[in-house]
Amino acid sequence: MTKLEDHLEGIINVFHQYSVRVGHFDTLVKSEMKRLITKELANTIKNTKDQATIDKIFQSLDTDRDGQVTFNEFIALLASVLATAHENIHKE
């Protein structure tokens, strides 16, 4: 497996580490999303301990408004975080 493929598998594994806790095993409910963000993205997303921030992120990701975030919906967060990280690297 290449380095990039290994990282992609790691992202999937992290998603599943949190998605299996409550409800459907392949979606995140808000409590799972909060736990994932506060544990895995605490240095990347500001105000991760603020419930209003979590609510806003969850609402923006839950595009079909079913109260859960699928992996495909979660990818939008990853794309945004990755783009910001890329910009920040060029600022250093």
Side-chain angles (χ1 to χ4, degrees), residues 31-77:
S31 62
E32 292 169 322
M33 173 62 80
K34 180 179 181 176
R35 183 172 287 147
L36 186 154
I37 289 172
T38 58
K39 300 282 186 189
E40 306 294 338
L41 296 171
N43 298 317
T44 307
I45 298 176
K46 294 179 182 177
N47 301 322
T48 59
K49 297 199 188 278
D50 177 43
Q51 187 61 46
T53 300
I54 299 299
D55 291 344
K56 184 177 178 183
I57 292 169
F58 189 86
Q59 201 170 35
S60 70
L61 295 177
D62 184 16
T63 57
D64 60 5
R65 303 291 181 244
D66 65 353
Q68 42 193 353
V69 172
T70 65
F71 186 76
N72 286 342
E73 291 170 327
F74 176 68
I75 290 170
L77 176 64

